[in-house]
PDB file of all heavy atoms in Angstrom:
ATOM      1  N   GLY A  38     -15.066   6.756   6.598  1.00 78.00           N
ATOM      2  CA  GLY A  38     -15.479   7.944   7.338  1.00 78.00           C
ATOM      3  C   GLY A  38     -15.855   9.126   6.475  1.00 78.00           C
ATOM      4  O   GLY A  38     -16.367  10.109   6.971  1.00 78.00           O
ATOM      5  N   ASP A  39     -15.582   9.072   5.181  1.00 69.00           N
ATOM      6  CA  ASP A  39     -15.975  10.157   4.292  1.00 69.00           C
ATOM      7  C   ASP A  39     -17.444  10.009   3.938  1.00 69.00           C
ATOM      8  O   ASP A  39     -17.953   8.910   3.803  1.00 69.00           O
ATOM      9  CB  ASP A  39     -15.148  10.164   3.010  1.00 69.00           C
ATOM     10  CG  ASP A  39     -13.730  10.650   3.229  1.00 69.00           C
ATOM     11  OD1 ASP A  39     -13.432  11.075   4.362  1.00 69.00           O
ATOM     12  OD2 ASP A  39     -12.940  10.603   2.282  1.00 69.00           O
ATOM     13  N   SER A  40     -18.120  11.113   3.797  1.00 63.00           N
ATOM     14  CA  SER A  40     -19.530  11.065   3.444  1.00 63.00           C
ATOM     15  C   SER A  40     -19.754  11.996   2.260  1.00 63.00           C
ATOM     16  O   SER A  40     -19.445  13.179   2.359  1.00 63.00           O
ATOM     17  CB  SER A  40     -20.372  11.516   4.631  1.00 63.00           C
ATOM     18  OG  SER A  40     -21.720  11.362   4.340  1.00 63.00           O
ATOM     19  N   PRO A  41     -20.218  11.560   1.121  1.00 64.00           N
ATOM     20  CA  PRO A  41     -20.496  10.159   0.805  1.00 64.00           C
ATOM     21  C   PRO A  41     -19.186   9.376   0.677  1.00 64.00           C
ATOM     22  O   PRO A  41     -18.131   9.959   0.448  1.00 64.00           O
ATOM     23  CB  PRO A  41     -21.224  10.233  -0.526  1.00 64.00           C
ATOM     24  CG  PRO A  41     -20.734  11.482  -1.156  1.00 64.00           C
ATOM     25  CD  PRO A  41     -20.446  12.442  -0.012  1.00 64.00           C
ATOM     26  N   THR A  42     -19.276   8.083   0.805  1.00 66.00           N
ATOM     27  CA  THR A  42     -18.104   7.223   0.735  1.00 66.00           C
ATOM     28  C   THR A  42     -17.476   7.327  -0.653  1.00 66.00           C
ATOM     29  O   THR A  42     -18.158   7.195  -1.654  1.00 66.00           O
ATOM     30  CB  THR A  42     -18.504   5.763   1.019  1.00 66.00           C
ATOM     31  OG1 THR A  42     -19.147   5.739   2.294  1.00 66.00           O
ATOM     32  CG2 THR A  42     -17.299   4.863   1.057  1.00 66.00           C
ATOM     33  N   ALA A  43     -16.175   7.599  -0.672  1.00 79.00           N
ATOM     34  CA  ALA A  43     -15.456   7.783  -1.931  1.00 79.00           C
ATOM     35  C   ALA A  43     -14.629   6.549  -2.266  1.00 79.00           C
ATOM     36  O   ALA A  43     -13.882   6.054  -1.434  1.00 79.00           O
ATOM     37  CB  ALA A  43     -14.557   8.997  -1.833  1.00 79.00           C
ATOM     38  N   LYS A  44     -14.783   6.055  -3.508  1.00 87.00           N
ATOM     39  CA  LYS A  44     -13.964   4.958  -4.009  1.00 87.00           C
ATOM     40  C   LYS A  44     -12.962   5.537  -4.985  1.00 87.00           C
ATOM     41  O   LYS A  44     -13.312   6.348  -5.831  1.00 87.00           O
ATOM     42  CB  LYS A  44     -14.823   3.940  -4.760  1.00 87.00           C
ATOM     43  CG  LYS A  44     -15.367   2.846  -3.924  1.00 87.00           C
ATOM     44  CD  LYS A  44     -16.004   1.800  -4.814  1.00 87.00           C
ATOM     45  CE  LYS A  44     -16.831   0.849  -3.996  1.00 87.00           C
ATOM     46  NZ  LYS A  44     -17.495  -0.143  -4.828  1.00 87.00           N
ATOM     47  N   VAL A  45     -11.735   5.084  -4.864  1.00 90.00           N
ATOM     48  CA  VAL A  45     -10.667   5.567  -5.731  1.00 90.00           C
ATOM     49  C   VAL A  45      -9.944   4.366  -6.321  1.00 90.00           C
ATOM     50  O   VAL A  45      -9.589   3.444  -5.590  1.00 90.00           O
ATOM     51  CB  VAL A  45      -9.668   6.431  -4.922  1.00 90.00           C
ATOM     52  CG1 VAL A  45      -8.491   6.842  -5.770  1.00 90.00           C
ATOM     53  CG2 VAL A  45     -10.356   7.645  -4.337  1.00 90.00           C
ATOM     54  N   GLU A  46      -9.721   4.371  -7.625  1.00 94.00           N
ATOM     55  CA  GLU A  46      -8.955   3.306  -8.256  1.00 94.00           C
ATOM     56  C   GLU A  46      -7.475   3.599  -8.093  1.00 94.00           C
ATOM     57  O   GLU A  46      -7.039   4.746  -8.153  1.00 94.00           O
ATOM     58  CB  GLU A  46      -9.307   3.185  -9.735  1.00 94.00           C
ATOM     59  CG  GLU A  46      -8.707   1.944 -10.370  1.00 94.00           C
ATOM     60  CD  GLU A  46      -9.177   1.721 -11.795  1.00 94.00           C
ATOM     61  OE1 GLU A  46     -10.287   1.178 -11.960  1.00 94.00           O
ATOM     62  OE2 GLU A  46      -8.429   2.106 -12.706  1.00 94.00           O
ATOM     63  N   ALA A  47      -6.692   2.537  -7.875  1.00 96.00           N
ATOM     64  CA  ALA A  47      -5.247   2.669  -7.718  1.00 96.00           C
ATOM     65  C   ALA A  47      -4.577   1.433  -8.301  1.00 96.00           C
ATOM     66  O   ALA A  47      -5.238   0.437  -8.605  1.00 96.00           O
ATOM     67  CB  ALA A  47      -4.888   2.820  -6.237  1.00 96.00           C
ATOM     68  N   VAL A  48      -3.259   1.496  -8.454  1.00 96.00           N
ATOM     69  CA  VAL A  48      -2.476   0.368  -8.942  1.00 96.00           C
ATOM     70  C   VAL A  48      -1.315   0.176  -7.976  1.00 96.00           C
ATOM     71  O   VAL A  48      -0.616   1.130  -7.640  1.00 96.00           O
ATOM     72  CB  VAL A  48      -1.938   0.648 -10.370  1.00 96.00           C
ATOM     73  CG1 VAL A  48      -1.045  -0.484 -10.846  1.00 96.00           C
ATOM     74  CG2 VAL A  48      -3.081   0.871 -11.343  1.00 96.00           C
ATOM     75  N   THR A  49      -1.125  -1.066  -7.525  1.00 95.00           N
ATOM     76  CA  THR A  49      -0.003  -1.323  -6.628  1.00 95.00           C
ATOM     77  C   THR A  49       1.309  -1.210  -7.394  1.00 95.00           C
ATOM     78  O   THR A  49       1.384  -1.554  -8.578  1.00 95.00           O
ATOM     79  CB  THR A  49      -0.085  -2.717  -5.975  1.00 95.00           C
ATOM     80  OG1 THR A  49      -0.078  -3.707  -6.997  1.00 95.00           O
ATOM     81  CG2 THR A  49      -1.329  -2.854  -5.114  1.00 95.00           C
ATOM     82  N   GLU A  50       2.316  -0.716  -6.708  1.00 94.00           N
ATOM     83  CA  GLU A  50       3.665  -0.649  -7.272  1.00 94.00           C
ATOM     84  C   GLU A  50       4.539  -1.713  -6.613  1.00 94.00           C
ATOM     85  O   GLU A  50       5.305  -2.386  -7.265  1.00 94.00           O
ATOM     86  CB  GLU A  50       4.244   0.748  -7.025  1.00 94.00           C
ATOM     87  CG  GLU A  50       5.558   0.980  -7.711  1.00 94.00           C
ATOM     88  CD  GLU A  50       5.991   2.417  -7.572  1.00 94.00           C
ATOM     89  OE1 GLU A  50       6.507   2.791  -6.491  1.00 94.00           O
ATOM     90  OE2 GLU A  50       5.814   3.168  -8.541  1.00 94.00           O
ATOM     91  N   ASN A  51       4.412  -1.806  -5.283  1.00 92.00           N
ATOM     92  CA  ASN A  51       5.077  -2.879  -4.555  1.00 92.00           C
ATOM     93  C   ASN A  51       4.253  -3.212  -3.331  1.00 92.00           C
ATOM     94  O   ASN A  51       3.445  -2.407  -2.870  1.00 92.00           O
ATOM     95  CB  ASN A  51       6.536  -2.531  -4.215  1.00 92.00           C
ATOM     96  CG  ASN A  51       6.655  -1.340  -3.306  1.00 92.00           C
ATOM     97  OD1 ASN A  51       6.078  -1.290  -2.220  1.00 92.00           O
ATOM     98  ND2 ASN A  51       7.417  -0.346  -3.729  1.00 92.00           N
ATOM     99  N   VAL A  52       4.434  -4.430  -2.823  1.00 91.00           N
ATOM    100  CA  VAL A  52       3.633  -4.906  -1.700  1.00 91.00           C
ATOM    101  C   VAL A  52       4.510  -5.710  -0.740  1.00 91.00           C
ATOM    102  O   VAL A  52       5.567  -6.214  -1.108  1.00 91.00           O
ATOM    103  CB  VAL A  52       2.446  -5.785  -2.163  1.00 91.00           C
ATOM    104  CG1 VAL A  52       1.490  -5.011  -3.051  1.00 91.00           C
ATOM    105  CG2 VAL A  52       2.918  -7.045  -2.865  1.00 91.00           C
ATOM    106  N   SER A  53       4.037  -5.820   0.478  1.00 90.00           N
ATOM    107  CA  SER A  53       4.621  -6.717   1.464  1.00 90.00           C
ATOM    108  C   SER A  53       3.463  -7.316   2.239  1.00 90.00           C
ATOM    109  O   SER A  53       2.300  -6.973   1.995  1.00 90.00           O
ATOM    110  CB  SER A  53       5.567  -5.967   2.409  1.00 90.00           C
ATOM    111  OG  SER A  53       4.840  -5.215   3.362  1.00 90.00           O
ATOM    112  N   SER A  54       3.760  -8.167   3.174  1.00 89.00           N
ATOM    113  CA  SER A  54       2.681  -8.773   3.957  1.00 89.00           C
ATOM    114  C   SER A  54       2.052  -7.773   4.926  1.00 89.00           C
ATOM    115  O   SER A  54       0.998  -8.027   5.473  1.00 89.00           O
ATOM    116  CB  SER A  54       3.200  -9.992   4.718  1.00 89.00           C
ATOM    117  OG  SER A  54       4.233  -9.609   5.597  1.00 89.00           O
ATOM    118  N   ARG A  55       2.677  -6.593   5.117  1.00 91.00           N
ATOM    119  CA  ARG A  55       2.149  -5.593   6.049  1.00 91.00           C
ATOM    120  C   ARG A  55       1.850  -4.243   5.408  1.00 91.00           C
ATOM    121  O   ARG A  55       1.456  -3.306   6.096  1.00 91.00           O
ATOM    122  CB  ARG A  55       3.146  -5.349   7.188  1.00 91.00           C
ATOM    123  CG  ARG A  55       3.345  -6.499   8.121  1.00 91.00           C
ATOM    124  CD  ARG A  55       2.111  -6.883   8.885  1.00 91.00           C
ATOM    125  NE  ARG A  55       1.489  -5.783   9.572  1.00 91.00           N
ATOM    126  CZ  ARG A  55       1.160  -5.745  10.834  1.00 91.00           C
ATOM    127  NH1 ARG A  55       1.385  -6.799  11.575  1.00 91.00           N
ATOM    128  NH2 ARG A  55       0.573  -4.713  11.362  1.00 91.00           N
ATOM    129  N   GLY A  56       2.059  -4.111   4.077  1.00 92.00           N
ATOM    130  CA  GLY A  56       1.810  -2.815   3.469  1.00 92.00           C
ATOM    131  C   GLY A  56       1.897  -2.831   1.959  1.00 92.00           C
ATOM    132  O   GLY A  56       2.153  -3.865   1.348  1.00 92.00           O
ATOM    133  N   ALA A  57       1.680  -1.657   1.389  1.00 93.00           N
ATOM    134  CA  ALA A  57       1.741  -1.518  -0.066  1.00 93.00           C
ATOM    135  C   ALA A  57       1.997  -0.063  -0.432  1.00 93.00           C
ATOM    136  O   ALA A  57       1.680   0.852   0.331  1.00 93.00           O
ATOM    137  CB  ALA A  57       0.427  -1.971  -0.700  1.00 93.00           C
ATOM    138  N   ARG A  58       2.583   0.124  -1.598  1.00 95.00           N
ATOM    139  CA  ARG A  58       2.706   1.451  -2.207  1.00 95.00           C
ATOM    140  C   ARG A  58       1.822   1.396  -3.430  1.00 95.00           C
ATOM    141  O   ARG A  58       1.963   0.498  -4.279  1.00 95.00           O
ATOM    142  CB  ARG A  58       4.151   1.736  -2.590  1.00 95.00           C
ATOM    143  CG  ARG A  58       4.337   3.069  -3.316  1.00 95.00           C
ATOM    144  CD  ARG A  58       5.805   3.279  -3.609  1.00 95.00           C
ATOM    145  NE  ARG A  58       6.054   4.328  -4.571  1.00 95.00           N
ATOM    146  CZ  ARG A  58       6.486   5.548  -4.272  1.00 95.00           C
ATOM    147  NH1 ARG A  58       6.710   5.877  -3.018  1.00 95.00           N
ATOM    148  NH2 ARG A  58       6.705   6.437  -5.215  1.00 95.00           N
ATOM    149  N   VAL A  59       0.862   2.326  -3.500  1.00 97.00           N
ATOM    150  CA  VAL A  59      -0.056   2.369  -4.629  1.00 97.00           C
ATOM    151  C   VAL A  59       0.053   3.714  -5.332  1.00 97.00           C
ATOM    152  O   VAL A  59       0.417   4.715  -4.720  1.00 97.00           O
ATOM    153  CB  VAL A  59      -1.524   2.093  -4.199  1.00 97.00           C
ATOM    154  CG1 VAL A  59      -1.654   0.733  -3.550  1.00 97.00           C
ATOM    155  CG2 VAL A  59      -2.050   3.173  -3.287  1.00 97.00           C
ATOM    156  N   ILE A  60      -0.263   3.708  -6.613  1.00 97.00           N
ATOM    157  CA  ILE A  60      -0.273   4.928  -7.420  1.00 97.00           C
ATOM    158  C   ILE A  60      -1.724   5.234  -7.754  1.00 97.00           C
ATOM    159  O   ILE A  60      -2.458   4.359  -8.226  1.00 97.00           O
ATOM    160  CB  ILE A  60       0.556   4.754  -8.718  1.00 97.00           C
ATOM    161  CG1 ILE A  60       1.970   4.244  -8.406  1.00 97.00           C
ATOM    162  CG2 ILE A  60       0.579   6.057  -9.503  1.00 97.00           C
ATOM    163  CD1 ILE A  60       2.792   5.132  -7.487  1.00 97.00           C
ATOM    164  N   THR A  61      -2.128   6.472  -7.525  1.00 96.00           N
ATOM    165  CA  THR A  61      -3.512   6.873  -7.750  1.00 96.00           C
ATOM    166  C   THR A  61      -3.551   8.324  -8.233  1.00 96.00           C
ATOM    167  O   THR A  61      -2.559   9.035  -8.155  1.00 96.00           O
ATOM    168  CB  THR A  61      -4.352   6.699  -6.455  1.00 96.00           C
ATOM    169  OG1 THR A  61      -5.699   7.053  -6.728  1.00 96.00           O
ATOM    170  CG2 THR A  61      -3.808   7.526  -5.320  1.00 96.00           C
ATOM    171  N   ASP A  62      -4.714   8.746  -8.718  1.00 94.00           N
ATOM    172  CA  ASP A  62      -4.862  10.144  -9.148  1.00 94.00           C
ATOM    173  C   ASP A  62      -5.590  10.967  -8.091  1.00 94.00           C
ATOM    174  O   ASP A  62      -6.029  12.080  -8.351  1.00 94.00           O
ATOM    175  CB  ASP A  62      -5.568  10.238 -10.499  1.00 94.00           C
ATOM    176  CG  ASP A  62      -6.958   9.625 -10.489  1.00 94.00           C
ATOM    177  OD1 ASP A  62      -7.399   9.123  -9.431  1.00 94.00           O
ATOM    178  OD2 ASP A  62      -7.609   9.644 -11.539  1.00 94.00           O
ATOM    179  N   SER A  63      -5.699  10.417  -6.887  1.00 90.00           N
ATOM    180  CA  SER A  63      -6.400  11.102  -5.802  1.00 90.00           C
ATOM    181  C   SER A  63      -5.476  11.255  -4.592  1.00 90.00           C
ATOM    182  O   SER A  63      -4.790  10.311  -4.208  1.00 90.00           O
ATOM    183  CB  SER A  63      -7.632  10.286  -5.407  1.00 90.00           C
ATOM    184  OG  SER A  63      -8.307  10.893  -4.348  1.00 90.00           O
ATOM    185  N   ILE A  64      -5.480  12.430  -3.990  1.00 89.00           N
ATOM    186  CA  ILE A  64      -4.679  12.667  -2.799  1.00 89.00           C
ATOM    187  C   ILE A  64      -5.292  11.938  -1.611  1.00 89.00           C
ATOM    188  O   ILE A  64      -6.507  11.818  -1.507  1.00 89.00           O
ATOM    189  CB  ILE A  64      -4.536  14.185  -2.522  1.00 89.00           C
ATOM    190  CG1 ILE A  64      -3.440  14.428  -1.510  1.00 89.00           C
ATOM    191  CG2 ILE A  64      -5.846  14.793  -2.102  1.00 89.00           C
ATOM    192  CD1 ILE A  64      -2.993  15.879  -1.457  1.00 89.00           C
ATOM    193  N   CYS A  65      -4.451  11.383  -0.760  1.00 90.00           N
ATOM    194  CA  CYS A  65      -4.884  10.667   0.445  1.00 90.00           C
ATOM    195  C   CYS A  65      -4.109  11.230   1.633  1.00 90.00           C
ATOM    196  O   CYS A  65      -2.878  11.170   1.640  1.00 90.00           O
ATOM    197  CB  CYS A  65      -4.599   9.175   0.318  1.00 90.00           C
ATOM    198  SG  CYS A  65      -5.522   8.343  -0.970  1.00 90.00           S
TER     199      CYS A  65
END
Side-chain angles (χ1 to χ4, degrees):
D39 287 355
S40 185
T42 304
K44 270 189 193 178
V45 175
E46 190 173 279
V48 176
T49 60
E50 187 173 79
N51 63 55
V52 298
S53 76
S54 60
R55 292 297 308 232
R58 176 178 165 103
V59 301
I60 307 301
T61 182
D62 59 0
S63 178
I64 194 165
C65 295

